[in-house]
Amino acid sequence: MKKEEVPQDNSNLSSNNMKELCYATDENGNYTTALSTGWEPKTIALENSIQDINERIEAAKAGVKNGTLSPIVYFMEVHKMDWMTLAGYVGMWTWRVKRHGKPSVFKKMNDKMLAKYAEAFEISVAELKNYKGE
Amino acid sequence: METNFVHHQSAHCENGVASNLLKHQGINISEPMVFGIGSGLFFFYLPLLKVNHAPAISYRPMPGFIFNKAAKRLGIKVKRVKFSNPQSAQKALEDNLKNNIPSGLQVGVYNLTYFPDEYRFHFNAHNLVVYGKKDDTFLISDPVMETVTTLTEKELEKVRFAKGALAPKGQMYYPVAIPAVIDWETAIKKGIKNTCNDMLAPVPIVGVSAMRFLSRSIRKWPAKKGVKVANHYLAQLVRMQEEIGTGGGGFRFIYAAFLQEASVILKNEKLKELSLEMTTIGDLWRDFAVNAARVYKNRSNQTDVYNSLADELLKLADLEEAFFKKLKKAI
């Protein structure tokens, strides 16, 4: 990549006034560094990931509403977590956390357990309990 | 308290932290040099392991490997400590700052407040340097940022004790012993040999064989997983290749910069030629990203576009196989 070819497209970086460093060659073919504001293929890739997350959140919301998923699944998706990450934050085995994703199991959970999840999601126990997928 | 640490922006966090910490110790080492000596160039594909709901693809080795290998080859001793409790982690860091030792930390990205929201994923192998503390705010040099920044005690604790895959467990590291004379030539040769062996390894999930394995998978994705999932996988692939940290082209340009520097130190003209060749290969990786982006943008559902991407990847694998064979002979 030549220095003058370092892309300067609009991106989520440039909207935050950030630039990233790239390695490129100067007119004599020697390596130097240049700042880039963003590159379109990357921006599309990132948008794709964000869209994927939003779709997962919507699906979880619908699941809570029609009673197939517990609120834990919804907040997990909101925080971009997967089962393993959430298990790490609440300090439990992954299989146990997955079980808590079932509404029937969620109903029987006590406040002490719920508090662990509420802390991981940075919300109150009441908010977690009363989330109905609205 | 504040150490007289100088911040330099870099492409990749781990090389950047390593290069900045060593520069502080008086060793003038560039980011590409750390990357090359630490054998940072890599390719890894493990479809069974899922990251962000897509198969694990990596253009670099495990976090920590680059700095450890580079330090070992340069004869520098690096101390690494992990902590089970946040208080002792903070205390150890403060003690270091009192003794004028800027310290590298492994952190999670999700709670880094100075990152744009869109970049905050549960990725736990980011690196930064803490170089001072004012009141209850730590002074932070994050190598991917243009300038220095800060984090409060609480914010820093959160990122140091992020959970999930590769949890940092408060890990802190800093060089403790520097040799009087550094044998650059041997270190560079070792680094290059290691990279050649990795890339040519006879294992299906590593190096050029992994690229061919991935190429076969790409052909199957649309039929097996559906167009939507296939496009998500492609987007993740492009992100791993081009997102902040690779310096462009899946680290190929940093590596070319390293070969150029190495050719001067080793007085080896052949390396300069190979550096040019690596730049061309890097440009082809960029083209690959552009074409992949076209596929997931248009949501084209012909299997042909996946086949042509797979062909492109096969060609890259052939080029790199020939390249690393030449490189191995050149040193």
Side-chain angles (χ1 to χ4, degrees):
Chain A
M1 184 165 52
K2 296 199 175 65
K3 200 175 173 183
E4 58 274 14
E5 288 167 6
V6 170
Q8 305 295 345
D9 301 341
N10 286 332
S11 72
N12 309 74
L13 279 182
S14 61
S15 56
N16 286 284
N17 272 328
M18 283 170 73
K19 282 181 189 160
E20 64 172 315
L21 194 80
C22 289
Y23 282 80
T25 48
D26 64 13
E27 54 278 8
N28 303 318
N30 290 323
Y31 261 94
T32 175
T33 60
L35 291 173
S36 161
T37 54
W39 192 36
E40 206 200 344
K42 273 167 57 169
T43 311
I44 311 171
L46 183 61
E47 273 164 13
N48 175 291
S49 298
I50 292 170
Q51 196 192 339
D52 183 65
I53 289 167
N54 289 337
E55 279 167 18
R56 298 183 72 90
I57 294 174
E58 285 309 312
K61 199 187 238 179
V64 177
K65 200 168 184 181
N66 64 29
T68 53
L69 296 171
S70 87
I72 285 174
V73 181
Y74 169 77
F75 287 106
M76 176 177 88
E77 296 294 354
V78 167
H79 285 268
K80 304 179 192 167
M81 290 176 179
D82 55 15
W83 292 113
M84 207 185 133
T85 310
L86 179 57
Y89 274 97
V90 294
M92 286 182 238
W93 292 98
T94 310
W95 62 265
R96 212 170 155 207
V97 175
K98 279 187 184 169
R99 242 184 111 246
H100 294 156
K102 290 183 190 168
S104 55
V105 181
F106 181 77
K107 257 182 248 158
K108 289 181 211 150
M109 283 167 71
N110 61 31
D111 278 8
K112 207 177 139 195
M113 290 282 268
L114 289 172
K116 284 188 185 173
Y117 284 96
E119 199 193 326
F121 299 139
E122 296 178 323
I123 52 175
S124 68
V125 174
E127 274 174 277
L128 179 61
K129 256 188 184 167
N130 299 326
Y131 182 74
K132 299 276 187 287
E134 301 302 327
Chain B
M1 50 199 161
E2 188 176 337
T3 55
N4 54 343
F5 182 79
V6 188
H7 172 85
H8 302 271
Q9 189 182 11
S10 65
H12 184 246
C13 63
E14 190 180 336
N15 319 326
V17 163
S19 151
N20 284 344
L21 283 178
L22 294 177
K23 273 180 186 155
H24 181 78
Q25 301 287 338
I27 302 170
N28 190 12
I29 184 166
S30 66
E31 177 188 11
M33 221 19 151
V34 173
F35 183 75
I37 294 177
S39 304
L41 199 78
F42 202 64
F43 192 86
F44 172 81
Y45 170 55
L46 187 58
L48 281 175
L49 183 67
K50 295 280 190 287
V51 180
N52 282 327
H53 314 285
I57 296 163
S58 179
Y59 289 78
R60 58 171 247 193
M62 282 281 285
F65 273 37
I66 302 177
F67 191 15
N68 281 351
K69 280 185 175 169
K72 202 175 151 201
R73 286 167 190 161
L74 293 168
I76 297 162
K77 260 201 189 132
V78 177
K79 190 168 176 177
R80 281 181 185 270
V81 236
K82 284 185 182 179
F83 300 90
S84 53
N85 102 37
Q87 283 80 36
S88 50
Q90 188 180 329
K91 193 171 171 299
L93 174 61
E94 284 169 352
D95 288 347
N96 262 3
L97 295 174
K98 268 179 210 149
N99 296 327
N100 203 16
I101 307 170
S103 305
L105 297 180
Q106 186 191 333
V107 297
V109 171
Y110 187 68
N111 284 305
L112 275 183
T113 41
Y114 53 80
F115 264 26
D117 265 350
E118 299 86 350
Y119 284 90
R120 287 166 59 182
F121 287 90
H122 291 277
F123 172 69
N124 284 333
H126 187 60
N127 292 277
L128 49 79
V129 174
V130 180
Y131 68 95
K133 192 184 181 192
K134 265 187 190 139
D135 305 325
D136 66 343
T137 316
F138 284 100
L139 309 178
I140 308 285
S141 152
D142 188 320
V144 303
M145 306 285 288
E146 272 184 277
T147 54
V148 291
T149 162
T150 58
L151 286 173
T152 63
E153 276 177 4
K154 219 178 152 196
E155 285 167 343
L156 189 67
E157 182 185 316
K158 229 172 174 179
V159 294
R160 289 182 82 183
F161 287 90
K163 300 290 186 337
L166 302 170
K169 300 198 174 86
Q171 184 160 177
M172 178 171 94
Y173 54 91
Y174 48 96
V176 282
I178 310 276
V181 214
I182 289 178
D183 183 357
W184 292 96
E185 278 133 59
T186 319
I188 290 170
K189 281 182 184 164
K190 268 190 189 162
I192 291 179
K193 264 185 202 147
N194 190 178
T195 300
C196 293
N197 290 339
D198 282 348
M199 294 304 287
L200 299 171
V203 188
I205 57 167
V206 166
V208 291
S209 331
M211 290 179 207
R212 295 191 176 118
F213 182 15
L214 176 60
S215 159
R216 286 196 297 278
S217 300
I218 290 178
R219 289 179 210 279
K220 289 181 204 152
W221 282 347
K224 219 169 140 190
K225 306 273 176 185
V227 172
K228 198 172 159 352
V229 175
N231 287 352
H232 174 62
Y233 286 2
L234 280 181
Q236 285 297 325
L237 169 65
V238 170
R239 294 192 61 210
M240 295 316 287
Q241 183 186 316
E242 298 295 338
E243 217 31 285
I244 303 189
T246 72
F251 297 106
R252 267 61 186 171
F253 296 131
I254 301 188
Y255 202 71
F258 158 70
L259 289 177
Q260 196 172 58
E261 255 188 78
S263 83
V264 179
I265 297 174
L266 298 179
K267 299 181 191 69
N268 185 338
E269 273 303 306
K270 184 84 187 143
L271 289 184
K272 175 104 200 229
E273 269 169 51
L274 287 167
S275 160
L276 290 176
E277 195 177 327
M278 183 92 284
T279 308
T280 320
I281 293 176
D283 287 334
L284 290 173
W285 277 104
R286 296 284 275 192
D287 294 344
F288 175 73
V290 172
N291 293 336
R294 234 171 247 156
V295 173
Y296 54 70
K297 196 185 179 187
N298 298 342
R299 297 168 190 285
S300 150
N301 53 4
Q302 302 159 319
T303 46
D304 248 315
V305 287
Y306 295 96
N307 278 331
S308 72
L309 275 179
D311 291 340
E312 224 175 304
L313 196 57
L314 266 190
K315 197 178 154 230
L316 277 164
D318 291 343
L319 284 174
E320 294 208 342
E321 186 174 8
F323 175 88
F324 286 107
K325 279 183 178 159
K326 272 188 266 177
L327 182 60
K328 212 172 169 179
K329 274 197 197 130
I331 49 153

Coordinates of all heavy atoms in Angstrom, one line a residue, chain A residues 68-107:
Chain A
T68 N -40.8 -17.8 25.9 CA -39.8 -18.9 25.6 C -38.4 -18.7 26.2 O -37.6 -19.6 26.3 CB -39.7 -19.2 24.1 OG1 -39.4 -18.0 23.5 CG2 -41.0 -19.7 23.5
L69 N -38.1 -17.4 26.5 CA -36.8 -17.1 27.1 C -37.0 -16.2 28.3 O -37.9 -15.5 28.5 CB -36.0 -16.3 26.0 CG -35.6 -17.0 24.7 CD1 -35.0 -16.0 23.7 CD2 -34.7 -18.1 24.9
S70 N -36.0 -16.3 29.2 CA -36.0 -15.5 30.4 C -35.3 -14.2 30.1 O -34.6 -14.1 29.2 CB -35.3 -16.2 31.6 OG -34.0 -16.0 31.6
P71 N -35.6 -13.1 31.0 CA -35.0 -11.8 30.8 C -33.5 -11.9 30.7 O -32.9 -11.0 30.1 CB -35.5 -11.0 32.0 CG -36.7 -11.7 32.4 CD -36.6 -13.1 32.1
I72 N -32.9 -12.9 31.4 CA -31.4 -13.0 31.4 C -30.9 -13.1 30.0 O -29.9 -12.4 29.6 CB -31.0 -14.3 32.2 CG1 -31.2 -14.0 33.7 CG2 -29.6 -14.7 31.9 CD1 -31.0 -15.1 34.6
V73 N -31.6 -13.8 29.1 CA -31.1 -13.9 27.7 C -31.1 -12.5 27.0 O -30.2 -12.2 26.3 CB -32.0 -14.9 26.9 CG1 -31.5 -15.0 25.5 CG2 -32.0 -16.3 27.6
Y74 N -32.2 -11.8 27.3 CA -32.3 -10.5 26.6 C -31.2 -9.6 27.1 O -30.5 -9.0 26.3 CB -33.7 -9.8 27.0 CG -33.8 -8.4 26.6 CD1 -33.9 -8.0 25.3 CD2 -33.6 -7.4 27.6 CE1 -34.0 -6.6 25.0 CE2 -33.7 -6.0 27.3 CZ -33.9 -5.7 26.0 OH -33.9 -4.3 25.6
F75 N -30.9 -9.5 28.4 CA -29.9 -8.6 28.9 C -28.5 -9.0 28.5 O -27.6 -8.2 28.2 CB -30.0 -8.4 30.4 CG -31.1 -7.5 30.8 CD1 -32.3 -8.1 31.4 CD2 -31.1 -6.1 30.6 CE1 -33.3 -7.3 31.8 CE2 -32.2 -5.3 30.9 CZ -33.3 -5.9 31.5
M76 N -28.3 -10.3 28.3 CA -27.1 -10.9 27.9 C -26.8 -10.4 26.5 O -25.7 -9.9 26.2 CB -27.2 -12.4 27.9 CG -25.9 -13.1 27.3 SD -26.1 -14.9 27.4 CE -26.9 -15.2 25.9
E77 N -27.8 -10.4 25.6 CA -27.6 -9.9 24.2 C -27.4 -8.4 24.2 O -26.6 -7.9 23.4 CB -28.8 -10.3 23.3 CG -29.0 -11.8 23.1 CD -27.9 -12.5 22.4 OE1 -27.0 -11.8 21.9 OE2 -28.0 -13.7 22.3
V78 N -28.1 -7.7 25.0 CA -27.9 -6.2 25.1 C -26.5 -5.9 25.4 O -25.9 -4.9 24.9 CB -28.9 -5.6 26.1 CG1 -28.5 -4.2 26.4 CG2 -30.3 -5.7 25.7
H79 N -25.9 -6.7 26.3 CA -24.5 -6.4 26.7 C -23.5 -7.2 25.8 O -22.3 -7.3 26.2 CB -24.3 -6.8 28.2 CG -24.9 -5.8 29.1 ND1 -24.2 -4.8 29.6 CD2 -26.1 -5.7 29.6 CE1 -24.9 -4.0 30.4 NE2 -26.1 -4.6 30.4
K80 N -23.9 -7.6 24.6 CA -23.1 -8.2 23.6 C -22.4 -9.5 24.2 O -21.3 -9.8 23.7 CB -22.0 -7.3 23.1 CG -22.6 -6.0 22.5 CD -21.4 -5.1 22.0 CE -21.8 -3.7 21.7 NZ -20.7 -2.8 21.5
M81 N -22.9 -10.1 25.2 CA -22.3 -11.3 25.8 C -22.7 -12.6 25.1 O -23.8 -12.6 24.5 CB -22.6 -11.4 27.3 CG -22.1 -10.3 28.1 SD -22.7 -10.5 29.8 CE -21.9 -9.2 30.6
D82 N -21.9 -13.6 25.3 CA -22.4 -15.0 25.0 C -22.4 -15.7 26.3 O -22.1 -15.2 27.3 CB -21.5 -15.7 23.9 CG -20.0 -15.7 24.3 OD1 -19.7 -15.4 25.5 OD2 -19.2 -15.9 23.5
W83 N -22.9 -17.0 26.3 CA -23.1 -17.7 27.5 C -21.8 -17.8 28.3 O -21.8 -17.6 29.6 CB -23.5 -19.2 27.2 CG -24.9 -19.2 26.6 CD1 -25.2 -19.6 25.3 CD2 -26.1 -18.9 27.3 NE1 -26.6 -19.5 25.2 CE2 -27.2 -19.1 26.3 CE3 -26.5 -18.5 28.5 CZ2 -28.5 -18.9 26.6 CZ3 -27.8 -18.2 28.8 CH2 -28.8 -18.4 27.9
M84 N -20.7 -18.0 27.7 CA -19.4 -18.2 28.4 C -19.0 -16.9 29.1 O -18.6 -16.9 30.3 CB -18.3 -18.6 27.4 CG -17.2 -19.4 28.0 SD -16.0 -19.6 26.7 CE -14.6 -19.2 27.6
T85 N -19.2 -15.8 28.4 CA -18.8 -14.5 29.0 C -19.7 -14.2 30.2 O -19.2 -13.8 31.3 CB -18.9 -13.3 28.0 OG1 -18.3 -13.7 26.8 CG2 -18.4 -12.1 28.5
L86 N -21.0 -14.4 30.1 CA -21.9 -14.2 31.2 C -21.6 -15.1 32.3 O -21.5 -14.7 33.5 CB -23.4 -14.4 30.7 CG -24.4 -14.2 31.8 CD1 -24.4 -12.8 32.4 CD2 -25.8 -14.5 31.2
A87 N -21.3 -16.4 32.0 CA -20.9 -17.3 33.1 C -19.7 -16.8 33.9 O -19.7 -16.9 35.1 CB -20.6 -18.7 32.5
G88 N -18.8 -16.2 33.2 CA -17.6 -15.6 33.8 C -18.0 -14.5 34.8 O -17.5 -14.4 35.9
Y89 N -18.9 -13.6 34.3 CA -19.2 -12.5 35.1 C -20.0 -12.9 36.4 O -19.9 -12.2 37.4 CB -20.0 -11.4 34.3 CG -19.1 -10.5 33.6 CD1 -18.7 -10.7 32.3 CD2 -18.5 -9.4 34.2 CE1 -17.8 -9.9 31.6 CE2 -17.6 -8.6 33.6 CZ -17.3 -8.8 32.3 OH -16.4 -8.0 31.7
V90 N -20.9 -13.9 36.3 CA -21.7 -14.3 37.5 C -21.0 -15.4 38.3 O -21.4 -15.7 39.4 CB -23.1 -14.8 37.1 CG1 -23.9 -13.6 36.5 CG2 -23.1 -15.9 36.1
G91 N -19.9 -15.9 37.8 CA -19.1 -16.9 38.5 C -19.8 -18.2 38.6 O -19.8 -18.8 39.7
M92 N -20.5 -18.7 37.6 CA -21.1 -20.0 37.6 C -20.8 -20.8 36.4 O -20.2 -20.3 35.4 CB -22.7 -19.8 37.6 CG -23.2 -19.3 38.9 SD -25.0 -19.2 38.7 CE -25.3 -17.5 39.1
W93 N -21.1 -22.1 36.4 CA -20.8 -22.9 35.2 C -21.7 -22.5 34.1 O -22.9 -22.1 34.3 CB -21.1 -24.4 35.5 CG -20.1 -25.0 36.5 CD1 -20.3 -25.1 37.8 CD2 -18.8 -25.5 36.2 NE1 -19.2 -25.7 38.4 CE2 -18.3 -25.9 37.4 CE3 -18.1 -25.6 35.0 CZ2 -17.0 -26.5 37.5 CZ3 -16.8 -26.2 35.1 CH2 -16.3 -26.6 36.3
T94 N -21.2 -22.7 32.8 CA -22.0 -22.2 31.6 C -23.4 -23.0 31.6 O -24.4 -22.4 31.3 CB -21.2 -22.5 30.4 OG1 -19.9 -21.9 30.5 CG2 -21.9 -21.9 29.2
W95 N -23.4 -24.3 31.9 CA -24.6 -25.1 31.8 C -25.7 -24.5 32.7 O -26.9 -24.5 32.4 CB -24.4 -26.6 32.0 CG -23.8 -27.0 33.3 CD1 -22.5 -27.1 33.7 CD2 -24.6 -27.2 34.5 NE1 -22.4 -27.5 35.0 CE2 -23.7 -27.5 35.5 CE3 -26.0 -27.2 34.8 CZ2 -24.1 -27.8 36.9 CZ3 -26.4 -27.5 36.2 CH2 -25.4 -27.8 37.2
R96 N -25.2 -24.0 33.9 CA -26.1 -23.5 34.9 C -26.7 -22.2 34.4 O -27.9 -22.0 34.5 CB -25.4 -23.3 36.2 CG -26.2 -23.5 37.4 CD -25.5 -23.6 38.7 NE -26.4 -23.2 39.7 CZ -26.0 -22.6 40.8 NH1 -24.7 -22.3 41.0 NH2 -26.8 -22.3 41.8
V97 N -25.9 -21.4 33.8 CA -26.3 -20.1 33.3 C -27.3 -20.3 32.2 O -28.4 -19.7 32.1 CB -25.1 -19.2 32.8 CG1 -25.6 -17.9 32.2 CG2 -24.2 -18.9 34.0
K98 N -27.0 -21.3 31.3 CA -28.0 -21.6 30.2 C -29.3 -22.0 30.8 O -30.4 -21.7 30.2 CB -27.4 -22.8 29.3 CG -26.4 -22.3 28.3 CD -26.0 -23.4 27.4 CE -24.9 -23.0 26.5 NZ -24.3 -24.1 25.7
R99 N -29.3 -22.8 31.8 CA -30.6 -23.2 32.5 C -31.4 -22.0 32.9 O -32.6 -22.0 32.8 CB -30.3 -24.1 33.7 CG -30.8 -25.5 33.6 CD -30.5 -26.3 34.8 NE -31.7 -26.6 35.5 CZ -32.1 -26.1 36.7 NH1 -31.2 -25.3 37.3 NH2 -33.2 -26.5 37.3
H100 N -30.7 -21.0 33.4 CA -31.3 -19.8 33.9 C -32.0 -19.0 32.8 O -32.7 -18.1 33.0 CB -30.4 -18.9 34.7 CG -29.9 -19.5 36.0 ND1 -28.7 -19.2 36.6 CD2 -30.5 -20.5 36.7 CE1 -28.6 -19.9 37.7 NE2 -29.6 -20.7 37.8
G101 N -31.6 -19.4 31.5 CA -32.3 -18.8 30.4 C -33.7 -19.3 30.1 O -34.4 -18.7 29.3
K102 N -34.1 -20.3 30.8 CA -35.4 -20.8 30.7 C -36.4 -20.1 31.6 O -36.1 -20.0 32.8 CB -35.5 -22.3 31.0 CG -34.8 -23.2 30.1 CD -34.9 -24.7 30.5 CE -34.1 -25.6 29.7 NZ -34.0 -26.9 30.4
P103 N -37.5 -19.7 31.1 CA -38.5 -18.9 32.0 C -38.9 -19.7 33.2 O -39.0 -19.2 34.3 CB -39.6 -18.6 31.1 CG -39.1 -18.7 29.7 CD -38.0 -19.7 29.7
S104 N -39.1 -21.1 33.0 CA -39.6 -21.9 34.1 C -38.6 -21.9 35.3 O -38.9 -21.9 36.5 CB -39.9 -23.3 33.7 OG -38.7 -23.8 33.0
V105 N -37.3 -22.0 34.9 CA -36.2 -22.0 36.0 C -36.1 -20.6 36.5 O -35.9 -20.4 37.8 CB -34.9 -22.5 35.4 CG1 -33.8 -22.5 36.4 CG2 -35.0 -23.8 34.7
F106 N -36.1 -19.6 35.7 CA -35.9 -18.2 36.1 C -37.0 -17.8 37.2 O -36.6 -17.1 38.2 CB -36.1 -17.3 34.9 CG -35.9 -15.8 35.2 CD1 -34.6 -15.3 35.3 CD2 -37.0 -14.9 35.3 CE1 -34.5 -13.9 35.6 CE2 -36.8 -13.6 35.6 CZ -35.5 -13.1 35.7
K107 N -38.2 -18.3 37.0 CA -39.3 -18.0 38.0 C -38.9 -18.4 39.4 O -39.3 -17.8 40.4 CB -40.6 -18.7 37.6 CG -41.6 -17.7 36.9 CD -42.8 -18.4 36.5 CE -43.0 -18.5 35.0 NZ -43.8 -19.6 34.6

